[in-house]
Amino acid sequence: MALDILAMAPLYQAPAINRIGPKTDPSKRPADPLKPLVLSRTKLTTIEAKRIMSILDEAIYKVELVTLLSYVASNREDMEGMLGEDVMRAVREHEDLCQVLLENVRCLKEKERQLQEQKEAEEEGWLRDRLLSIELQKSSLSPLMQQIKDSTKNVLRLLLSNPQAARLLQMQTQGRSAEAQNFIDSLIELRGFLFEKLLTSPMEARDKAQFLQDISRQNSNNQQIIDTLEKELAERMKNRNAEKKYKVETEIENWIQKYDTEMGEKQEELEDLDAVHREEKISLEELRRRHKVLVGEFAQIREEREINSKKRMEAEQEMVRMVRAATLIQALWKGYLVRSLLRSKKKRGKGKAKDKEKGKQKGKEKGKGKK
């Protein structure tokens, strides 16, 4: 059945995902508290069980090969030397059949879509013909699907007849699509469940069922206890909330009264401060008025001081000029007196010199006369 389903899958290149292993390891078993669930055997002993597991393992192996055919079809050059000419020819035929099936399915869906769009506008006879055409096309898919199934079996037969090529193909896990890998993982998980089921003897199955019933009964009793405790808890929480609510309301009322009292005190304090502020404002206005008068008086006094200072500086400057003039006049007068004195002395000296010169001349003349 698995191969029939995979035979219908289209060939396409898909992203790679990592494979996961079996769900459980049969050698690892729970501890003593779950002893009824622990299997007494780890290996299959009956031929029927071994055959069942062998068939499932073979199906998983074939599914792993079939899900890689899309990768082979999209990498022909790389895979031809690995798988051989016969396998590649069978894969190409399988790919062609799948492409034809996909094209027919696409055309069929397009016709159904057009039929839904034109269903109300067209006549009944035309719709009947279209429906008949679609049904005929659907019926033609069955032989094609059978050919694809046969083609899939043929490719598997060729791969299984060449174990080396099959192993090489099985190693190309990166080419498997995510959907195919999920399907394989589900089969592996199913294998683990089936393996565990086949290991379980009828007595162990009976003990396990009894154990599960006991667990279920105990769980039911525990659930009843939990429900009772939850109801009791809800009732206590309700009472507690009623008490929590009363206390909160009382506390809120106390806070409101405290707030009103503090606000009243703050209001009285604010009114007192406002009265003080008004008085200080009046005093400030009076001080500003006095300051304005004083500023005017100070400006007048400063102006008078500047005028007096200017007059005093001018008087001092005049006095300095007069002193300088007097000193200059005095110096000139002293110079004049000195020059006058020097001129008088000079004149007296010249008179004496002339008298001496005249005396000498007279002496000379007297000497000449005596001669």
Side-chain angles (χ1 to χ4, degrees), residues 40-94:
S40 60
R41 297 177 298 173
T42 59
K43 294 183 179 180
L44 299 176
T45 57
T46 63
I47 298 177
E48 292 79 4
K50 292 181 179 179
R51 287 179 178 177
I52 292 173
M53 292 305 301
S54 176
I55 292 172
L56 183 57
D57 289 339
E58 184 180 358
I60 294 174
Y61 177 67
K62 291 180 179 180
V63 169
E64 289 177 345
L65 296 178
V66 171
T67 53
L68 290 173
L69 294 181
S70 59
Y71 177 75
V72 175
S74 59
N75 296 272
R76 297 179 182 178
E77 296 181 358
D78 298 334
M79 303 300 296
E80 187 170 1
M82 184 185 300
L83 301 180
E85 184 178 355
D86 295 339
V87 176
M88 292 304 301
R89 182 168 55 254
V91 170
R92 284 193 295 269
E93 294 176 356
H94 180 74

Side-chain angles (χ1 to χ4, degrees), residues 47-174:
I47 298 177
E48 292 79 4
K50 292 181 179 179
R51 287 179 178 177
I52 292 173
M53 292 305 301
S54 176
I55 292 172
L56 183 57
D57 289 339
E58 184 180 358
I60 294 174
Y61 177 67
K62 291 180 179 180
V63 169
E64 289 177 345
L65 296 178
V66 171
T67 53
L68 290 173
L69 294 181
S70 59
Y71 177 75
V72 175
S74 59
N75 296 272
R76 297 179 182 178
E77 296 181 358
D78 298 334
M79 303 300 296
E80 187 170 1
M82 184 185 300
L83 301 180
E85 184 178 355
D86 295 339
V87 176
M88 292 304 301
R89 182 168 55 254
V91 170
R92 284 193 295 269
E93 294 176 356
H94 180 74
E95 179 186 11
D96 294 339
L97 292 173
C98 290
Q99 293 298 330
V100 172
L101 177 63
L102 289 176
E103 183 64 23
N104 291 340
V105 171
R106 187 189 64 79
C107 295
L108 183 60
K109 289 183 178 180
E110 181 65 20
K111 289 181 179 180
E112 290 178 346
R113 185 186 64 81
Q114 294 178 357
L115 180 62
Q116 291 295 330
E117 293 177 354
Q118 302 176 0
K119 189 173 183 180
E120 298 179 357
E122 299 294 338
E123 297 179 356
E124 184 178 356
W126 181 87
L127 293 175
R128 190 183 304 109
D129 294 338
R130 296 289 292 182
L131 288 173
L132 180 60
S133 176
I134 292 174
E135 292 298 329
L136 290 175
Q137 189 169 359
K138 285 183 179 180
S139 62
S140 65
L141 295 179
S142 298
L144 184 58
M145 294 173 66
Q146 185 61 40
Q147 292 180 9
I148 293 176
K149 292 179 182 180
D150 297 338
S151 175
T152 304
K153 294 177 181 179
N154 184 41
V155 173
L156 280 176
R157 180 182 57 78
L158 293 174
L159 286 173
L160 294 176
S161 63
N162 189 352
Q164 183 178 1
R167 284 194 299 270
L168 293 175
L169 178 61
Q170 190 180 14
M171 295 171 60
Q172 308 299 319
T173 57
Q174 74 278 2

Side-chain angles (χ1 to χ4, degrees), residues 13 20 24 30 35 66 69 86 99 109 167 179 194 204 210 227 233 245 257 307 310 313 319 324 350-351 358 367 371:
Q13 181 67 24
I20 61 174
T24 57
K35 188 175 181 180
V66 171
L69 294 181
D86 295 339
Q99 293 298 330
K109 289 183 178 180
R167 284 194 299 270
E179 295 81 359
L194 182 59
E204 289 175 342
Q210 183 64 37
D227 295 339
L233 177 62
K245 184 177 180 182
Q257 292 178 359
I307 293 172
K310 186 176 181 181
M313 290 179 64
M319 180 61 69
R324 286 180 179 178
K350 287 183 178 181
K358 288 179 178 181
K371 291 178 176 180

Side-chain angles (χ1 to χ4, degrees), residues 324-336:
R324 286 180 179 178
T327 302
L328 181 60
I329 292 171
Q330 189 176 7
L332 292 174
W333 175 250
K334 286 182 179 180
Y336 175 73

Side-chain angles (χ1 to χ4, degrees), residues 192-209:
F193 291 144
L194 182 59
F195 185 80
E196 184 177 352
K197 185 69 174 178
L198 293 175
L199 287 177
T200 305
S201 64
M203 183 177 297
E204 289 175 342
R206 185 173 59 255
D207 294 341
K208 183 177 180 180

